[in-house]
Amino acid sequence: MAAFTLCAGIRAAQAGAVEGPQRLRRAAANWDSLDVDQLLIGESDLPPQPQRQVLADVATNANDDPCLRELLRCCAEQTRQDWLLFTSADALLSTEFCANLSAFCSSITNNRKRLLVGRAWRLSDNLLDGLEACQLPPTAEGLTALINAHGYLDPAGQFSWALLPRGVLQAAPVGLGCDPAEVLPWLISSAQTLGWPSLDCTAAAPLAAPLAAAGHTAASQTPTAACKALWPGSEQAPKLSLLLAAPESQLQQLADSLCPTPSLPWEVVARPADPSDGAGAVAAAWASALEVAQGHLAWPITTALPPLALLPAVLRCFDTGGVDLLQLGWQLGSQPMPVREPNHQEPGCLVAQTAWLRRVMTALPHQSSPAAALLWMRQQAERRGACTASLPLTAIQRSDVGAAIAV
């Protein structure tokens, strides 16, 4: 059983939409299959069940949507879990989502005053209907595979769910309904006013939702701190995997220089790649290394090694919420080059969440040069919602001016 209660308001526009009832039933089946307690308020045809309370006679706002304060009050009085998951009534939870959030809830035995938030992966109804037609549980690997292959992540600051302690923040504004686009900014602002940590858990807790209605844009919030505690085995696993592709004669020496002691919070995954192997050899070596990488972050590099002193700064950048990719600076001779170039990606200057690289690496064009491969991966990830930050520190210095111009 999940260690939290899912709570949601069924908005009038949502229930009345053509696809509304189907989306609600699909989400409810998803929650049931994951053994999640549910408290829903608002008008719908969803039947109550042992794990689902449906309260229709509740206070509403001017849009006829159930009020958030009513939802939080009902949860405080009628649920048994210490934590509440607030989201939309058509959200689909992945198994990773439930497992990681439940582990987090169970680990907090005191001082529960914190707020966890995350963005949603958008999937079309056709894809989700196809998942159901295949009779795959919408919570199992089928949903994760859909997210990885076809999902589009909401923009940074556009949060779609929140995990909060039961029994708090019940004095919500009277007119505030249950639309996540309005509720999440208020929850984050309230948590910050109270001095609570608010943590962005998008990377560790994938949640899917149908494509939003045309023209709908959620209110944006300043990115919160990133939450790394949700990752399974986060204490034992390295934070960063350096994916080293280099000629076999240099491989061991380069790997040893990058990781001189095993106590460092990163690992080196080395694979041989010789220029004589063809244009796509380096990209293929990175793909091979990525298959076994254990870090939550991955850094594809070649024989031009970044300075070890830069690695702690790189890790700190990902402690900020809303950072999926990181671009670093480089120098050509003595000339600093722009950190962010739309049509070029210097090898050794892109760090990413490992999951993002795995999502886009599978469709990488064959025979891509290192620069072309990284540029393609960055552009594909950004097209699907990945947020790229820049760190104006030099990672790579190149003296081969002619070769750099050719790239």
Side-chain angles (χ1 to χ4, degrees):
M1 176 180 293
F4 54 81
T5 296
L6 185 147
C7 60
I10 302 171
R11 300 167 54 223
Q14 182 182 41
V18 174
E19 72 280 2
Q22 168 62 17
R23 288 180 171 183
L24 294 174
R25 288 192 294 270
R26 181 170 58 207
N30 168 268
W31 306 334
D32 291 344
S33 69
L34 284 167
D35 204 16
V36 175
D37 285 347
Q38 308 146 44
L39 191 148
L40 310 177
I41 63 173
E43 297 286 345
S44 80
D45 59 359
L46 290 177
Q49 292 184 0
Q51 283 189 277
R52 182 190 308 136
Q53 299 182 66
V54 182
L55 307 177
D57 188 15
V58 294
T60 59
N61 63 9
N63 296 324
D64 202 25
D65 292 340
C67 293
L68 176 66
R69 65 188 303 163
E70 185 84 340
L71 177 63
L72 296 179
R73 180 188 64 80
C74 294
C75 287
E77 295 176 354
Q78 302 187 39
T79 62
R80 52 180 175 168
Q81 304 283 10
D82 290 332
W83 292 89
L84 303 177
L85 171 67
F86 170 81
T87 187
S88 63
D90 55 8
L92 302 173
L93 315 184
S94 67
T95 49
E96 296 94 332
F97 186 100
C98 281
N100 291 350
L101 284 192
S102 292
F104 175 85
C105 294
S106 301
S107 69
I108 305 299
T109 56
N110 52 32
N111 189 20
R112 300 195 313 273
K113 296 178 179 179
R114 64 199 71 200
L115 181 74
L116 277 60
V117 298
R119 294 180 277 162
W121 288 91
R122 298 292 169 174
L123 293 166
S124 70
D125 282 303
N126 287 340
L127 286 171
L128 294 172
D129 291 342
L131 185 66
E132 290 187 313
C134 294
Q135 298 182 342
L136 292 171
T139 56
E141 290 143 9
L143 181 59
T144 300
L146 279 185
I147 288 174
N148 289 336
H150 305 288
Y152 286 80
L153 190 59
D154 280 342
Q158 187 174 309
F159 298 111
S160 295
W161 63 266
L163 184 78
L164 66 157
R166 178 172 59 87
V168 301
L169 301 178
Q170 295 186 55
V174 174
L176 184 59
C178 289
D179 184 354
E182 300 173 357
V183 172
L184 267 296
W186 180 82
L187 287 176
I188 294 171
S189 176
S190 299
Q192 292 172 344
T193 299
L194 294 170
W196 294 10
S198 53
L199 306 174
D200 184 350
C201 303
T202 302
L207 174 147
L211 289 171
H216 173 79
T217 303
S220 179
Q221 277 290 313
T222 302
T224 53
C227 181
K228 304 295 177 59
L230 288 185
W231 288 103
S234 58
E235 295 181 0
Q236 296 80 21
K239 296 179 180 178
L240 170 67
S241 295
L242 291 159
L243 311 180
L244 174 62
E248 192 161 12
S249 60
Q250 306 175 44
L251 205 58
Q252 191 59 53
Q253 180 182 359
L254 293 172
D256 292 342
S257 66
L258 285 168
C259 198
T261 173
S263 61
L264 295 171
W266 57 81
E267 66 171 356
V268 179
V269 186
R271 292 292 185 271
D274 196 275
S276 62
D277 295 336
V282 170
W286 286 335
S288 174
L290 193 62
E291 291 178 358
V292 298
Q294 300 182 65
H296 307 311
L297 307 173
W299 190 344
I301 56 176
T302 58
T303 53
L305 304 183
L308 290 181
L310 186 59
L311 270 65
V314 168
L315 293 174
R316 284 195 297 271
C317 285
F318 284 92
D319 289 337
T320 302
V323 178
D324 302 309
L325 312 176
L326 179 68
Q327 282 192 288
L328 298 157
W330 61 292
Q331 283 188 284
L332 187 57
S334 60
Q335 180 66 37
M337 304 301 289
V339 175
R340 183 70 187 264
E341 297 182 69
N343 297 312
H344 176 72
Q345 180 61 61
E346 184 65 20
C349 296
L350 181 69
V351 189
Q353 291 180 10
T354 305
W356 269 112
L357 289 188
R358 286 177 174 151
R359 287 183 193 110
V360 299
M361 179 73 83
T362 55
L364 180 67
H366 294 300
Q367 301 303 311
S368 298
S369 69
L374 289 177
L375 176 63
W376 188 88
M377 287 189 283
R378 191 192 85 206
Q379 291 175 337
Q380 290 298 307
E382 289 174 341
R383 184 179 65 86
R384 293 181 55 191
C387 299
T388 303
S390 298
L391 181 63
L393 297 177
T394 300
I396 301 298
Q397 288 186 306
R398 295 186 61 173
S399 58
D400 50 338
V401 178
I405 294 174
V407 171

